[in-house]
Each structure stands twice: as structure tokens, then as C-alpha cells.
Amino acid sequence: TTKGVGEVKYRGMLQTMRRVAKEEGVLALWKGNVPAQLMVMTFVSVKFASYSWLRDALNTRDKAGLAAGQSQSGTSRTL
């Protein structure tokens, strides 16, 4: 990110973390963490719930697990 004309504000990850902690406080490093965690929990919940349902719906015995895994992955990404 550039600060002004020709001046670079952030040079690397560690320098950025130090600068943010200094200018905005240590808690600023966790901004956006709660929404990200909620998104992951929703994704994993849909994936977990759809796997069992799809495995039973695709009850072909030998390849039900593989087909259900692929289907539930697509389902959770779509939602």
C-alpha cells in the first residue's frame, strides 16, 4: 500500500504487524477475525451435515464415500 507519491507504507509482514500494533494497538491485529471465523464455521457445518446425507443418498456401497465427499464439497462452496 502506498502512503503518498513514491512512499511505501508497508514493506513486509513483520514490519506491517509492528506498525499496526504501534499505531492502532495490538487488538487491531485481530480486526476481522470474528467474521472470518463465522464464515469458516458456516462452511464446515454445511460440509459436515451434507456429507452424511449425501453418503446415504448415494448409497452405492463401494464409492459412496468418495462421491459424497465430492458432492458435499461442492454443496458447501455453493452456499
Side-chain angles (χ1 to χ4, degrees), residues 1-63:
T1 306
T2 57
K3 188 175 182 182
V5 177
E7 186 179 348
V8 177
K9 185 174 180 179
Y10 302 118
R11 294 185 310 264
M13 186 173 71
L14 293 177
Q15 185 267 342
T16 300
M17 290 174 64
R18 278 190 237 117
R19 187 171 184 152
V20 168
K22 181 180 176 183
E23 293 177 2
E24 301 179 38
V26 177
L27 292 178
L29 296 172
W30 282 272
K31 282 183 182 177
N33 188 41
V34 172
Q37 292 300 318
L38 291 173
M39 181 182 67
V40 169
M41 288 182 348
T42 303
F43 177 80
V44 171
S45 298
V46 169
K47 197 170 181 177
F48 182 75
S50 63
Y51 176 77
S52 297
W53 182 82
L54 287 166
R55 186 191 61 219
D56 294 340
L58 299 170
N59 193 9
T60 58
R61 285 285 186 210
D62 54 343
K63 296 186 182 178

